[in-house]
Amino acid sequence: MKPVRSLARVMLSGIFVVSGARNLRNPERLVPAAKPVTDKVAPLIQNLHPRIPTDTETLIRANAATQLVGGLMLATGRFSRPAALVLAGTLVPTTAAGHPFWNNDDPAARNNNQIHFLKNLGLLGGLLLAAADTEGKPGLRWRAGHRIDHSRRSVKRAVRTARREAKIAVRSAATARRMPG
């Protein structure tokens, strides 16, 4: 892995590791801001599986743990593409709950939340780039297509060889029949 790629992943993951650890230890402070979002998400989670806890504090902890683990995976380069996708997914509710600038009447608070909202949007863009990064190696789609083309060429070669050998065998048999013996 190139040093720039490694450094960029560590820099991108830092916010998720730090805030994930902080929010995992102390989720109570986020409950008031997160409640409107978790109240909308809870019924969807309940429809998926009724035994999954949907209280706001538990959802904050789950999001925080996901960000902590995903951030560490991204930083270390282990499963970095899936980790980036998961982190992008956690960033959406975090941003909606934490920085709803459209709800602020105070211009200073509105401006502050708008800046943080746009910062998170930038992080989302970086995560999407990290999720798409194949480190210069061909992606799965290209490799599958290349393997299929290679297999087709191999089959065509095998068919040509079999035809050639069949023609040779027919000629040999015809020659053998013509010879007195």
Side-chain angles (χ1 to χ4, degrees):
M1 188 181 311
K2 293 187 178 184
V4 172
R5 219 177 235 115
S6 298
L7 181 60
R9 285 191 179 139
V10 168
M11 292 169 70
L12 183 58
S13 68
I15 187 73
F16 297 100
V17 172
V18 171
S19 65
R22 181 182 303 137
N23 296 340
L24 192 59
R25 280 189 306 249
N26 186 14
E28 304 83 30
R29 65 186 180 77
L30 301 173
V31 169
K35 188 120 178 74
V37 174
T38 58
D39 286 347
K40 290 177 184 172
V41 174
L44 300 172
I45 295 171
Q46 285 294 310
N47 287 340
L48 289 175
H49 199 288
R51 290 188 184 159
I52 296 175
T54 56
D55 63 286
T56 303
E57 191 171 318
T58 301
L59 292 175
I60 291 170
R61 282 184 194 271
N63 193 52
T66 303
Q67 287 185 345
L68 176 62
V69 172
L72 290 172
M73 289 170 65
L74 183 63
T76 60
R78 304 262 182 200
F79 300 106
S80 55
R81 292 177 69 192
L85 273 177
V86 168
L87 288 171
T90 67
L91 197 56
V92 172
T94 300
T95 303
H99 309 295
F101 65 91
W102 52 90
N103 290 339
N104 293 115
D105 294 329
D106 177 30
R110 182 183 193 91
N111 187 46
N112 187 39
N113 272 329
Q114 190 173 30
I115 288 169
H116 285 291
F117 183 90
L118 292 171
K119 173 209 38 131
N120 283 6
L121 208 56
L123 285 171
L124 181 63
L127 289 168
L128 293 176
L129 283 173
D133 182 27
T134 61
E135 298 182 27
K137 300 173 190 161
L140 187 58
R141 182 177 176 192
W142 183 89
R143 289 185 297 193
H146 183 73
R147 180 60 54 203
I148 289 169
D149 289 343
H150 177 73
S151 298
R152 284 183 186 151
R153 286 192 304 271
S154 295
V155 168
K156 285 180 182 178
R157 248 182 269 125
V159 167
R160 280 195 309 264
T161 302
R163 284 182 182 156
R164 194 176 321 117
E165 289 175 359
K167 285 179 185 178
I168 293 170
V170 168
R171 284 185 203 141
S172 294
T175 306
R177 270 191 252 140
R178 280 189 238 141
M179 295 190 133

